[in-house]
Amino acid sequence: MACTMQTLPNAPLSILIGSLGVFALLKGAYLAIVFGLFVIFSATQMLLDKKTKPRREMPGTAGQLAAGGAIGFISGLVGVGGGTFSVPFMTRRNVAIHSAVATSAALGFPIAVTNVLGYVIGGRNVQDLPVGSFGYIWLPALAIIAFCSVLAAPLGARVVHSIPVDKLKLVFAGSFYLLAAYMLYKGLST
């Protein structure tokens, strides 16, 4: 089955629902714990490197709406791009990896915009945010991260391509476990 932009169409809508609803409920310690557990899951999946065989075709429209909703909601909740979940979902349903990655990349921009919109709306009435905040978005950090990302991306790509895949997975998984330990410590000690 061909994979089009209609695949997983409501991921951005689900992210907005998550941003405005669940993010408002899961603040501080709880969100740190959820994020820490997700990072542990991701690191473990990376280390295990289980290869699952594609076993079925893409679901119909209702199934794609349900999958897009779940993927968008979880992606927004833990702050990752939809590709973390949508690419494995599509490849397990016999969508060619290149089509799955392309579809995920095409969905990346609306997912990011929706996530930012949710953080802006969700934090618009919150008091005591740092100067330069636009909702929960701290504009100075956004500018610095965007600027440094553009400058460092070519160097990062060269470095990543020079490291063997198995060692690269160990480095990423190790850094994920450290991040998860820190987030769980912060969440549980609050």
Side-chain angles (χ1 to χ4, degrees):
M1 173 179 274
C3 190
T4 67
M5 272 302 294
Q6 293 177 334
T7 303
L8 312 177
N10 68 335
L13 176 62
S14 297
I15 286 174
L16 186 60
I17 292 167
S19 298
L20 296 175
V22 175
F23 296 158
L25 299 173
L26 284 178
K27 292 184 180 178
Y30 296 113
L31 194 55
I33 291 168
V34 168
F35 183 78
L37 292 174
F38 171 76
V39 171
I40 288 171
F41 171 78
S42 298
T44 303
Q45 289 294 104
M46 188 181 300
L47 286 178
L48 294 177
D49 196 26
K50 287 186 179 178
K51 302 288 186 208
T52 59
K53 292 184 179 180
R55 54 185 179 261
R56 59 184 83 122
E57 295 294 319
M58 283 294 290
T61 302
Q64 289 183 32
L65 286 170
I71 289 168
F73 182 77
I74 294 168
S75 297
L77 182 62
V78 296
V80 298
T84 305
F85 301 108
S86 63
V87 170
F89 172 79
M90 288 185 273
T91 56
R92 288 182 185 143
R93 277 140 188 90
N94 290 320
V95 174
I97 186 70
H98 294 94
S99 295
V101 170
T103 301
S104 174
L107 288 171
F109 181 73
I111 287 172
V113 168
T114 307
N115 225 344
V116 167
L117 181 62
Y119 281 122
V120 168
I121 293 170
R124 72 185 181 282
N125 295 324
V126 175
Q127 303 297 316
D128 300 325
L129 291 174
V131 174
S133 294
F134 187 51
Y136 286 122
I137 306 295
W138 191 46
L139 297 176
L142 175 66
I144 291 168
I145 291 169
F147 179 75
C148 292
S149 295
V150 169
L151 290 180
L155 174 63
R158 280 196 301 273
V159 170
V160 164
H161 288 291
S162 70
I163 299 172
V165 172
D166 56 338
K167 290 183 181 174
L168 192 60
K169 285 183 180 181
L170 284 174
V171 168
F172 274 105
S175 63
F176 280 9
Y177 282 126
L178 289 173
L179 174 62
Y182 173 75
M183 295 304 291
L184 290 173
Y185 168 77
K186 294 296 280 184
L188 294 171
S189 65
T190 306

